[in-house]
Amino acid sequence: MNLEAAIKDFHAHAEKVKMYNSAMAVMYFDAATVAPKGGIADRAKRSGFFAAQLFDLITGDKMKELLAALSPHEGRLDPITAGMYRMAKKNYDKHVKVPAAKFRAFRELVTKAQNVWEDARKDDDFAAFAPYLKDIIAASKEMVEYRRIDDAPAYDYLLDDYEEGMTMQIYDEYFGKVRDAIVPLLKGVVESTKKIDKSIVQKPVSIEAQRKIAHYIAGMIGYDHNRGYICESVHPFCNSSSRDDVRITTRYNENDFLSSLFTILHECGHAIYEQSTGDDIAQTMLSRGVSMGIHESQSRFYENVIGRSRGFWEFVTDELKTYLPDAYKDMTAEQFYEAANYAAPSLIRVEADELTYSLHIMIRYEIERMIFTQDIDVMDLPAIWNKKYEEYLGITPPNNRLGVLQDVHWSGGMFGYFPTYSLGSAYAAQFLAYMKRGLDFDGLVKKGEFAAITAWLTDKIHRHGSIYTPHDLVDKIAGEQLNADYYVSYLQEKFGGLYRIGM
Amino acid sequence: MNLEAAIKDFHAHAEKVKMYNSAMAVMYFDAATVAPKGGIADRAKRSGFFAAQLFDLITGDKMKELLAALSPHEGRLDPITAGMYRMAKKNYDKHVKVPAAKFRAFRELVTKAQNVWEDARKDDDFAAFAPYLKDIIAASKEMVEYRRIDDAPAYDYLLDDYEEGMTMQIYDEYFGKVRDAIVPLLKGVVESTKKIDKSIVQKPVSIEAQRKIAHYIAGMIGYDHNRGYICESVHPFCNSSSRDDVRITTRYNENDFLSSLFTILHECGHAIYEQSTGDDIAQTMLSRGVSMGIHESQSRFYENVIGRSRGFWEFVTDELKTYLPDAYKDMTAEQFYEAANYAAPSLIRVEADELTYSLHIMIRYEIERMIFTQDIDVMDLPAIWNKKYEEYLGITPPNNRLGVLQDVHWSGGMFGYFPTYSLGSAYAAQFLAYMKRGLDFDGLVKKGEFAAITAWLTDKIHRHGSIYTPHDLVDKIAGEQLNADYYVSYLQEKFGGLYRIGM
């Protein structure tokens, strides 16, 4: 096959991959929102069928042949084809080297384990889950051995799976800085004389009103309703089947309207990223956010950097009150701002505030690191977990439901995933610092001129989709890599000021 | 390939077909309900891609090979495999004999024509649409010639496409009886001293209340909410992606709650049919209603035979009032019954009442018959149309928007489709007569015991899916074929009584 023909063929094959991904996104959205309970067995069968079709496209003989044809020319491909080649090759290598039977056994193990975990969590029975966790750890280690191309530690392979280029070395340094800065900062918050009363934003707001608020907030922040749809699901998510069809979901709690408001901002960050892919790649498989860490940086940017800023509340308070019941009529922007930034030690990651969130992640990273580099007994994990919560957050989970059993990730074999959540916050703070070099961020937010902010993010990040590695993408913005200093300064400045620490 | 292997292979291939059909059903539902406008281009591309994948499965070399392997054994296949073979063979022959280029050109023609028709209808400009209609007619005739296996008239091929086994000979006899009975019956209604006031059921009912009514009515009539979902769309439809996921949509009009109530009953008829497929075929491609006529017989049975019966209103009125505003509090069951059966000549098919509906269909059948058996000028169609409305319904469309331009079907090349709508009503009346031989239908309805009625329909019709031809299915119930006498008697008895004709 000559190069031109190979490229053409490769693009056609990649288009098929995109079509299947797109169809699966629609079916996933349907299943998570409106599909009836009774159809679950047939849906599982169908989704297995399409996953197998897709697996065949990305790991089959055709892909093998195409990658082999392109490989000698790798350095001379146009940027789009090069990006697609990189992505396809990584996917191919990751899946093909593990024997199909091992892969299937692993899928079956984690499917079973997730059910066991659900019950174990409900019953607060870690011992019931432990043998499954042990098997998943062993299988995860074994699967890395099949893929091994160098002598890097197994956990580095897993970290790279969720964020290309990441290693323990990088994360150790990163979390080291986070620990050194946030643990004392949190101590300062706890001991501060400044107290924030969260109850003032917990007066009831009807679901109907919250739906209108969601629509308003999303449109105002830059989400394109004409190429999107907002509805409800048990767990909020962002779902993209094409650049022009990017949906978000949320859930509503009558007594906590801010929870949904921030969920909307969070999912809008993901969605605006997907909606802003450049025309040149919109129809290719590169038309999606490049990595979990970069994706999370966008959701955290809209949720926290913008949404939990003082300027945002100065801009939004009057308009927001037109949707809120009378009980909110005397609230000031400053009161909303403070309530939105209430910080305190807590046990549950998904309910954690902006300040403590990365401590929750750090604990999980440290434990995963132990699991893959030391010979630890899984039955010791609850104690290890609780000790770390005591050490970093100053509180001890009273049971494993509120401790080691709270997250689904390990039962799904998703080791290496957690740290990307924290990366998101760190990158968001880093991008903010870069942005401020050229834009009056605070001034824009205060005036509600979010379009200029999104334009900056689109230019530097969104439009590129997956064309560059996350490493190269970040490097292109300011000639620098992940640097926790920005994140640390951001938190110190914000929470130091709010809680009057050292003043 | 030996027979056993061929059967196994055939089932595996048919399972793939089912998977693609199921995925396409989900994507269709999504597109018709919540998908954002902005994503329309990517959706069109994706649906073209999957249609092509499916086309390849049902007409490609693999299917050809399988059909050839099974063909010598056709008479000795088990009933399920035989049903699947029949269905697959018919589909294969229908699509493969027409050259792909002709098929594509036809698709393009009707896509264009539908846009032209939309504008023509809006502008009341038949002349703009006429050249497209002429081309579609010519292309439809030409495509039949490719498929021809005998010297039957071209229109018989088209009639058979929409309802297997149907011919002009059968429909001529059928519509002859319909014409002879309904035209004078309608005259009797028009001249009757009995007048029905429809406005008493047109007092406003909020959409929220109508949603609750829809949920109540559907569940009460036998729709399984656990394996379904009800929502809104521009045009109501029933959508099945598996036996255990059958959804219906409706639309609400504040000033006509009965319209939506009957739409729900209608779609429930389709849905209960799909939800009641037998276990033996639920996982096969036979798990769907056998034909348009039989499917419509079920929707009309629930909508008209049950829903527009006096007993239904005797049962439902009290409960229904708990959802209705105070303005309805003095309504009696008899008043609801009468309003639900208001009959009068009208111009628009989709708004026609139970009595006149088949006259609208008959007019379309007679015109299609002329188109395919006589050499008529399409420019004469408006005059032909109007003359028939004058003759059968006693009213003349004031323009073509309310006349020959009202339906989408011809612009889509769907000749032969219309008569199946009328078949539905006729079969429904026929099944009612058979049912009454063993069940106290009126007594059951009056007591709200719909389960016994559905059980009869499930036993005779629903559970069989597409395993038999419609002809064989009807024959199995009472050893008889389509017989308009039942339908005619049903209408005469009902509307003769209600409008006191000849009394």
Side-chain angles (χ1 to χ4, degrees):
Chain A
M1 210 174 343
N2 71 43
L3 181 58
E4 203 184 328
I7 290 176
K8 208 180 147 200
D9 230 27
F10 176 63
H11 277 269
H13 193 70
E15 162 111 13
K16 273 194 172 189
V17 172
K18 189 169 165 59
M19 289 297 156
Y20 278 87
N21 272 320
S22 175
M24 288 166 79
V26 173
M27 289 189 267
Y28 177 83
F29 179 84
D30 181 85
T33 54
V34 299
K37 222 170 166 167
I40 198 163
D42 282 353
R43 273 201 297 287
K45 199 167 155 187
R46 188 178 61 214
S47 95
F49 173 82
F50 280 98
Q53 300 289 110
L54 184 62
F55 191 79
D56 190 53
L57 287 175
I58 64 179
T59 64
D61 291 342
K62 181 75 191 172
M63 185 59 96
K64 183 179 181 179
E65 179 198 326
L66 289 166
L67 293 174
L70 294 179
S71 168
H73 311 283
E74 193 181 344
R76 285 170 294 131
L77 299 172
D78 64 276
I80 290 175
T81 308
M84 290 167 60
Y85 173 82
R86 177 179 58 79
M87 187 190 264
K89 178 87 169 66
K90 197 177 177 197
N91 240 325
Y92 181 86
D93 287 346
K94 185 170 155 188
H95 289 104
V96 163
K97 290 183 178 172
V98 179
K102 288 279 170 200
F103 206 80
R104 207 161 40 235
F106 186 72
R107 295 311 319 159
E108 281 162 18
L109 173 61
V110 298
T111 303
K112 184 82 213 299
Q114 291 194 347
N115 290 326
V116 172
W117 163 76
E118 268 185 43
D119 288 341
R121 185 170 69 154
K122 211 182 316 162
D123 304 339
D124 189 23
D125 181 5
F126 183 78
F129 176 52
Y132 289 89
L133 183 55
K134 197 177 164 196
D135 287 351
I136 293 171
I137 292 167
S140 300
K141 287 177 180 170
E142 190 191 359
M143 284 169 73
V144 168
E145 295 314 311
Y146 286 107
R147 298 156 53 194
R148 186 171 281 298
I149 50 165
D150 56 23
D151 59 358
Y155 191 42
D156 276 0
Y157 276 84
L158 302 178
L159 291 171
D160 181 82
D161 282 348
Y162 290 96
E163 190 75 13
E164 194 173 346
M166 284 294 147
T167 62
M168 283 192 276
Q169 200 189 335
I170 298 173
Y171 278 128
D172 285 349
E173 189 196 330
Y174 167 76
F175 281 116
K177 287 186 179 179
V178 165
R179 183 169 44 236
D180 292 347
I182 305 184
V183 171
L185 186 56
L186 176 59
K187 204 160 171 277
V189 166
V190 170
E191 292 166 359
S192 168
T193 55
K194 166 76 182 175
K195 300 295 170 201
I196 291 173
D197 177 11
K198 254 187 102 170
S199 71
I200 57 171
V201 290
Q202 291 173 333
K203 290 168 280 192
V205 181
S206 75
I207 307 298
E208 206 39 50
Q210 291 195 48
R211 284 204 189 100
K212 285 179 188 153
I213 291 170
H215 190 88
Y216 156 65
I217 290 285
M220 185 264 285
I221 209 69
Y223 176 72
D224 183 351
H225 286 296
N226 186 48
R227 299 185 291 133
Y229 175 63
I230 302 178
C231 72
E232 285 126 75
S233 65
V234 178
H235 303 286
F237 63 94
C238 169
N239 173 279
S240 166
S241 60
S242 96
R243 178 186 64 172
D244 297 333
D245 187 345
V246 185
R247 309 178 189 184
I248 59 181
T249 72
T250 185
R251 56 185 164 201
Y252 299 106
N253 175 347
E254 280 224 343
N255 297 309
D256 192 0
F257 87 95
L258 276 191
S259 164
S260 177
L261 185 149
F262 284 114
T263 296
I264 288 290
L265 283 171
H266 183 98
E267 300 305 334
C268 276
H270 287 304
I272 291 169
Y273 189 177
E274 295 286 324
Q275 286 185 331
S276 309
T277 308
D279 288 338
D280 50 343
I281 56 168
Q283 295 300 321
T284 74
M285 63 200 255
L286 300 174
S287 176
R288 51 197 255 206
V290 63
S291 71
M292 311 205 65
I294 302 295
H295 233 304
E296 197 71 5
S297 78
Q298 299 310 293
S299 58
R300 291 301 184 187
F301 198 97
Y302 285 85
E303 176 194 355
N304 290 338
V305 176
I306 297 176
R308 287 193 164 88
S309 71
R310 184 173 269 118
F312 179 81
W313 289 99
E314 288 173 10
F315 171 72
V316 88
T317 296
D318 285 348
E319 179 77 18
L320 186 63
K321 281 193 201 169
T322 66
Y323 298 95
L324 291 171
D326 270 0
Y328 286 89
K329 73 175 191 305
D330 295 328
M331 287 280 292
T332 65
E334 186 65 19
Q335 283 177 307
F336 275 121
Y337 168 66
E338 290 192 354
N341 285 292
Y342 173 87
S346 64
L347 294 171
I348 300 293
R349 175 183 62 86
V350 297
E351 294 165 7
D353 54 71
E354 186 183 6
L355 174 62
T356 55
Y357 191 78
S358 279
L359 296 181
H360 291 266
I361 298 303
M362 185 178 73
I363 288 170
R364 287 151 179 79
Y365 169 72
E366 290 181 1
I367 294 175
E368 289 189 357
R369 196 186 191 293
M370 290 170 73
I371 286 172
F372 284 92
T373 58
Q374 302 169 27
D375 191 29
I376 63 164
D377 184 340
V378 294
M379 281 309 292
D380 293 337
L381 289 178
I384 295 171
W385 180 285
N386 292 354
K387 203 163 152 276
K388 286 187 183 290
Y389 265 81
E390 180 57 43
E391 182 182 350
Y392 300 140
L393 289 132
I395 48 176
T396 306
N399 56 50
N400 292 324
R401 275 166 48 81
L402 300 171
V404 69
L405 283 172
Q406 71 183 265
D407 296 305
V408 69
H409 302 61
W410 292 347
S411 71
M414 293 178 272
F415 295 102
Y417 187 138
F418 281 125
T420 66
Y421 289 127
S422 181
L423 274 192
S425 300
Y427 279 136
Q430 198 161 338
F431 297 152
L432 172 66
Y434 299 155
M435 189 186 287
K436 282 183 167 177
R437 291 173 191 168
L439 285 185
D440 173 19
F441 175 83
D442 294 328
L444 291 170
V445 170
K446 211 180 297 187
K447 285 180 283 176
E449 292 177 4
F450 304 112
I453 293 167
T454 292
W456 191 96
L457 293 168
T458 296
D459 180 53
K460 307 291 186 200
I461 300 161
H462 303 168
R463 69 185 171 99
H464 302 300
S466 295
I467 203 164
Y468 307 118
T469 63
H471 181 285
D472 288 347
L473 181 73
V474 176
D475 190 71
K476 270 172 192 289
I477 301 175
E480 184 180 33
Q481 276 314 300
L482 173 68
N483 180 343
D485 295 343
Y486 296 102
Y487 181 37
V488 162
S489 304
Y490 165 85
L491 290 176
Q492 284 171 333
E493 197 178 318
K494 177 170 181 178
F495 288 93
L498 185 56
Y499 281 90
R500 303 178 198 140
I501 297 167
M503 289 183 200
Chain B
M1 210 175 340
N2 70 44
L3 180 58
E4 202 184 329
I7 290 176
K8 208 179 148 200
D9 232 26
F10 176 63
H11 278 269
H13 192 71
E15 162 111 13
K16 273 194 172 189
V17 172
K18 189 169 165 59
M19 289 296 155
Y20 278 87
N21 272 321
S22 175
M24 288 167 80
V26 173
M27 288 188 268
Y28 177 83
F29 179 84
D30 181 85
T33 54
V34 299
K37 222 170 168 167
I40 198 163
D42 282 352
R43 273 201 297 286
K45 199 167 154 188
R46 188 178 62 214
S47 93
F49 172 83
F50 280 98
Q53 299 289 111
L54 183 62
F55 190 80
D56 190 54
L57 287 175
I58 64 179
T59 65
D61 291 342
K62 181 74 192 171
M63 185 60 95
K64 184 179 181 178
E65 179 197 327
L66 289 166
L67 293 174
L70 294 179
S71 168
H73 312 283
E74 194 180 344
R76 284 171 294 132
L77 299 172
D78 63 277
I80 291 175
T81 307
M84 290 166 60
Y85 173 82
R86 178 180 57 78
M87 187 191 265
K89 178 84 169 69
K90 196 174 179 201
N91 239 325
Y92 180 86
D93 288 345
K94 184 170 156 189
H95 290 104
V96 163
K97 290 183 178 172
V98 179
K102 288 278 170 201
F103 206 80
R104 208 162 38 236
F106 186 73
R107 295 310 320 158
E108 281 162 18
L109 173 61
V110 297
T111 303
K112 183 82 213 300
Q114 291 195 348
N115 290 326
V116 172
W117 164 77
E118 268 184 43
D119 288 342
R121 184 170 71 154
K122 212 182 315 161
D123 304 340
D124 189 23
D125 182 4
F126 183 77
F129 176 53
Y132 289 89
L133 184 55
K134 196 176 164 198
D135 287 351
I136 292 170
I137 293 167
S140 300
K141 287 178 180 169
E142 190 190 357
M143 284 169 72
V144 168
E145 295 314 310
Y146 287 106
R147 298 157 53 195
R148 185 171 280 299
I149 50 165
D150 56 23
D151 58 358
Y155 191 41
D156 276 0
Y157 276 84
L158 302 178
L159 292 171
D160 181 83
D161 282 348
Y162 291 96
E163 189 75 14
E164 195 173 346
M166 284 294 148
T167 62
M168 283 191 278
Q169 200 190 334
I170 298 172
Y171 277 128
D172 285 349
E173 188 195 329
Y174 167 75
F175 281 117
K177 288 186 179 178
V178 165
R179 185 170 42 236
D180 291 347
I182 305 183
V183 171
L185 186 56
L186 176 60
K187 204 161 170 277
V189 166
V190 170
E191 292 165 359
S192 168
T193 55
K194 166 78 184 172
K195 299 295 169 201
I196 290 174
D197 178 10
K198 252 187 102 169
S199 71
I200 57 170
V201 291
Q202 292 174 333
K203 289 167 281 191
V205 180
S206 75
I207 307 299
E208 205 40 50
Q210 292 196 48
R211 284 204 189 100
K212 286 179 188 153
I213 291 171
H215 190 88
Y216 156 66
I217 290 285
M220 184 263 285
I221 209 70
Y223 176 70
D224 182 352
H225 286 296
N226 186 48
R227 299 185 292 133
Y229 175 64
I230 302 179
C231 72
E232 286 126 76
S233 65
V234 178
H235 303 287
F237 62 94
C238 170
N239 172 279
S240 165
S241 59
S242 96
R243 178 186 63 172
D244 296 335
D245 187 345
V246 185
R247 309 177 188 184
I248 59 180
T249 72
T250 185
R251 55 185 165 201
Y252 298 107
N253 176 347
E254 280 224 343
N255 297 309
D256 193 359
F257 87 96
L258 275 191
S259 164
S260 178
L261 186 150
F262 284 115
T263 296
I264 287 290
L265 284 171
H266 183 99
E267 301 305 334
C268 277
H270 287 304
I272 291 168
Y273 190 177
E274 295 286 324
Q275 286 185 330
S276 309
T277 308
D279 287 339
D280 51 343
I281 56 168
Q283 295 300 321
T284 74
M285 63 201 255
L286 299 174
S287 175
R288 50 198 257 205
V290 64
S291 71
M292 311 205 64
I294 303 294
H295 233 304
E296 198 71 6
S297 78
Q298 298 310 293
S299 57
R300 291 301 184 187
F301 198 97
Y302 285 85
E303 177 194 354
N304 290 337
V305 176
I306 297 177
R308 287 193 164 88
S309 71
R310 184 174 270 118
F312 178 81
W313 289 99
E314 288 173 10
F315 170 73
V316 89
T317 295
D318 285 347
E319 179 78 17
L320 186 64
K321 280 193 201 169
T322 67
Y323 298 94
L324 291 171
D326 270 359
Y328 287 89
K329 73 176 191 304
D330 295 328
M331 288 280 293
T332 64
E334 186 64 19
Q335 283 177 307
F336 276 121
Y337 169 66
E338 291 193 353
N341 286 294
Y342 173 87
S346 64
L347 294 171
I348 301 294
R349 175 183 61 86
V350 297
E351 295 164 7
D353 54 71
E354 187 184 7
L355 174 63
T356 56
Y357 191 79
S358 280
L359 296 182
H360 292 266
I361 298 303
M362 185 177 74
I363 288 170
R364 287 151 180 78
Y365 168 71
E366 291 182 0
I367 294 175
E368 288 189 358
R369 196 186 192 293
M370 290 171 72
I371 286 172
F372 284 92
T373 59
Q374 303 170 27
D375 191 30
I376 63 164
D377 185 340
V378 294
M379 282 309 292
D380 294 337
L381 289 177
I384 295 170
W385 181 285
N386 291 353
K387 203 163 152 275
K388 286 186 182 289
Y389 265 82
E390 180 58 42
E391 181 181 351
Y392 301 140
L393 289 133
I395 50 175
T396 306
N399 57 50
N400 292 324
R401 274 166 49 81
L402 299 172
V404 69
L405 282 172
Q406 71 183 264
D407 296 306
V408 69
H409 302 61
W410 292 347
S411 70
M414 292 178 274
F415 295 102
Y417 187 138
F418 281 125
T420 66
Y421 289 126
S422 182
L423 274 192
S425 301
Y427 279 137
Q430 199 162 338
F431 297 152
L432 172 66
Y434 299 156
M435 189 186 286
K436 282 182 166 178
R437 292 173 190 168
L439 286 185
D440 173 19
F441 176 83
D442 295 328
L444 291 170
V445 170
K446 210 180 298 187
K447 285 181 283 176
E449 291 176 6
F450 304 112
I453 293 167
T454 292
W456 190 96
L457 293 168
T458 296
D459 180 53
K460 306 293 186 201
I461 299 161
H462 303 167
R463 69 184 170 99
H464 302 300
S466 295
I467 203 165
Y468 307 119
T469 63
H471 182 285
D472 288 348
L473 182 73
V474 175
D475 190 71
K476 270 172 191 289
I477 302 176
E480 183 180 35
Q481 276 312 301
L482 173 68
N483 181 343
D485 295 343
Y486 296 103
Y487 181 37
V488 162
S489 305
Y490 165 84
L491 290 176
Q492 285 170 333
E493 196 178 319
K494 177 170 181 177
F495 288 92
L498 185 56
Y499 282 90
R500 302 175 198 141
I501 296 167
M503 291 184 199

